[in-house]
C-alpha cells in the first residue's frame, strides 16, 4: 500500500501529518516542492483544488491537511473511540486553524511596514487571545486536547512550530502547557529521529510567494 | 439529555446542524440571538472563544460548527464507517468552508462600492472555481459527497443557502448536481417541516455588524 504525501519543503500544514506517519511507523514517500518557485503550474494543474498538501494511497487522492492527519491516524490510539472526545479534539483543532489563518495575511504581505503591523497585531492580540485559552484547556485535560495523546495534539504542535518559523517568535514561552506538549511530541519515538534527520526549517519571507 | 444549539437568527453555519437534528428527530432548544445587535457582550463573554454556534448537552459545551454537525450525526447512517469515505467527506467539507470564508469579506465590507467589487469577484471567480469541482464530485459519487447521504451533504446545502442569502444569488442554477442535492435535503422528513415552520431567511447587510 504505497503512500505519498506532497507538500512544500516547509513544516506548515503538512508537518503534523509527517509526524503522525513517522510516530505510527508508516512508510511513505515524502515529496517536497520548492516553496520559492511556487506556484508551479504543471504541479498545480494536477492538484484537485490547486492546493497542497495532497495525500495519495493506492491511487486514491485526499486533500485538506486536517482530513489527511485524521485519516493517517485511523486505527491507532491517536483517535479516541468516544464521540464527545473526538468532537472536542475537532473543535480545538478547527479553532487552532482559525488562529493560524489570522497569521497568513502577515506572511503574504509584501510591504515590510504593513507586514510588521500585521505581525505585531498577531503577536499582541491573536496569540494571547487563543493561546491563553488553549493553555488552560491543556491544563484542564491532562496536558492534551482530550486526556491523552491524539492526532489533534500533533496539529497543535505543527501550528506552534509554523508560527515560530513564519513570525520569528518563540510562541510557547508564555504558555507552559503548550510548551510541554510541543516538547513531548518532538521527543516521541519516530518523530525525534525524523526531526534530527531534517534539521531546522527556515523561511525567507522576501522570496515567499504563496 | 437536554440539548441546546445557540446561533444567530440566520441560516449560516448552524443551519446544517439544525437540519441534521430535525432529520434525525432529536429534540433540542433552538436558541437564536439577534444578528443585528451582535456582539452582545453579556452573551459573548459566556462563549468559550467568543463565537457562535455553541452546542450544549448535559452541561458540556462544544464549539465549532463542523465539530457540532458531525457530533450530532454520530450513531446515525449520516457518518460512514469506512475511514476513507469519512476522510473524503471531511476534505470536501473543509474545502466548502475555504470557499465560504472567501464570501465573508464581501459580507463584512461596509463601503457599498468595495462590497460590490468583492461580491463580483466571488460570483465570477470563486463560485465557478469551487462549484464546478463540487458539482463534478457529486456527479462522480452518486449525487452525494460519498455515495450516500452524509452529514457533509447537509454542510454543502447550508453553504449554498447561506451564499444565496448573503450574496443575493441563486448559486446552484448552473450546477445541476448541487441543485439536486440541495433540493433533496430540503425535502427530507423533519427538514421539510422545519423549513416550512420558520419561513425564508433574509438579511439586511447595511444593518449587519458581524
Amino acid at each position: 500500500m504505497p503512500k505519498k504525501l506532497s507538500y512544500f519543503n516547509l513544516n506548515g500544514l503538512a508537518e503534523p501529518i509527517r509526524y503522525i506517519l513517522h510516530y505510527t511507523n508508516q512508510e511513505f514517500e515524502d515529496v517536497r516542492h520548492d516553496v520559492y518557485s511556487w506556484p508551479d503550474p504543471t504541479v498545480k494543474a494536477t492538484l484537485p483544488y490547486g492546493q497542497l498538501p495532497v495525500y495519495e494511497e493506492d491511487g486514491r487522492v485526499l486533500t485538506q491537511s486536517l482530513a489527511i492527519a485524521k485519516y493517517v491516524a485511523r486505527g491507532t490510539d491517536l483517535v479516541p473511540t468516544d464521540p464527545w472526545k473526538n468532537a472536542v479534539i475537532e473543535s480545538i483543532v478547527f479553532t487552532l486553524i482559525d488562529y493560524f489563518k489570522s497569521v497568513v495575511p502577515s506572511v503574504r504581505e509584501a510591504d515590510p511596514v504593513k507586514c510588521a503591523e500585521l505581525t505585531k497585531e498577531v503577536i499582541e492580540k491573536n496569540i494571547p487571545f487563543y493561546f491563553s485559552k488553549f493553555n488552560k484547556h491543556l491544563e484542564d485535560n491532562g496536558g492534551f486536547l482530550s486526556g491523552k495523546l491524539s492526532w489533534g495534539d500533533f496539529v497543535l504542535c505543527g501550528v506552534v512550530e509554523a508560527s515560530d518559523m513564519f513570525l520569528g517568535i518563540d510562541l510557547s514561552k508564555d504558555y507552559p502547557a503548550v510548551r510541554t506538549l510541543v516538547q513531548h511530541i518532538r521527543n516521541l519515538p519516530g518523530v525525534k529521529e525524523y526531526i534530527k534527520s531534517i534539521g531546522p526549517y527556515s523561511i525567507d519571507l522576501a522570496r515567499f510567494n504563496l
Side-chain angles (χ1 to χ4, degrees), chain A:
Chain A
M1 197 191 287
K3 299 168 184 176
K4 182 160 86 171
L5 178 67
S6 303
Y7 191 61
F8 303 111
N9 51 341
L10 282 181
N11 48 26
L13 294 172
E15 196 72 348
I17 307 168
R18 296 182 185 128
Y19 283 5
I20 293 170
L21 287 164
H22 286 290
Y23 174 61
T24 56
N25 209 18
Q26 300 180 58
E27 277 190 34
F28 69 106
E29 188 183 349
D30 187 348
V31 178
R32 293 173 185 239
H33 298 283
D34 178 29
V35 73
Y36 298 122
S37 56
W38 194 259
D40 177 334
T42 56
V43 177
K44 203 170 166 77
T46 68
L47 305 174
Y49 289 88
Q51 300 284 325
L52 292 170
V54 160
Y55 176 75
E56 293 167 77
E57 188 183 285
D58 297 331
R60 302 186 295 187
V61 178
L62 190 64
T63 63
Q64 289 282 349
S65 62
L66 300 182
I68 300 168
K70 200 169 166 197
Y71 177 75
V72 301
R74 79 198 177 284
T76 74
D77 58 2
L78 297 179
V79 183
T81 51
D82 177 66
W84 184 265
K85 285 184 178 170
N86 254 318
V88 168
I89 292 167
E90 288 179 1
S91 84
I92 303 288
V93 163
F94 298 148
T95 311
L96 276 159
I97 299 300
D98 281 349
Y99 151 73
F100 194 59
K101 289 202 169 167
S102 81
V103 174
V104 174
S106 71
V107 173
R108 289 188 174 162
E109 179 57 57
D111 179 330
V113 175
K114 283 187 193 160
C115 175
E117 279 170 16
L118 289 169
T119 302
K120 189 169 183 280
E121 187 169 337
V122 169
I123 292 172
E124 293 183 359
K125 274 183 62 182
N126 301 18
I127 289 176
F129 176 81
Y130 284 104
F131 278 86
S132 59
K133 294 173 195 290
F134 295 144
N135 199 73
K136 174 78 166 55
H137 181 91
L138 295 176
E139 286 173 350
D140 293 346
N141 288 276
F144 300 100
L145 294 196
S146 184
K148 60 189 273 297
L149 188 68
S150 76
W151 68 278
D153 298 307
F154 287 79
V155 176
L156 183 141
C157 178
V159 164
V160 171
E161 290 179 339
S163 297
D164 285 351
M165 184 188 67
F166 282 118
L167 301 172
I169 59 174
D170 177 12
L171 191 157
S172 66
K173 72 175 170 15
D174 298 324
Y175 307 101
V178 173
R179 198 171 195 82
T180 300
L181 178 55
V182 168
Q183 288 172 343
H184 177 72
I185 288 177
R186 290 178 62 87
N187 280 294
L188 289 172
V191 177
K192 187 176 181 174
E193 294 77 11
Y194 161 71
I195 289 173
K196 197 175 171 189
S197 74
I198 54 160
Y201 289 100
S202 66
I203 185 84
D204 178 359
L205 287 183
R207 294 176 58 208
F208 189 71
N209 190 34
L210 278 189

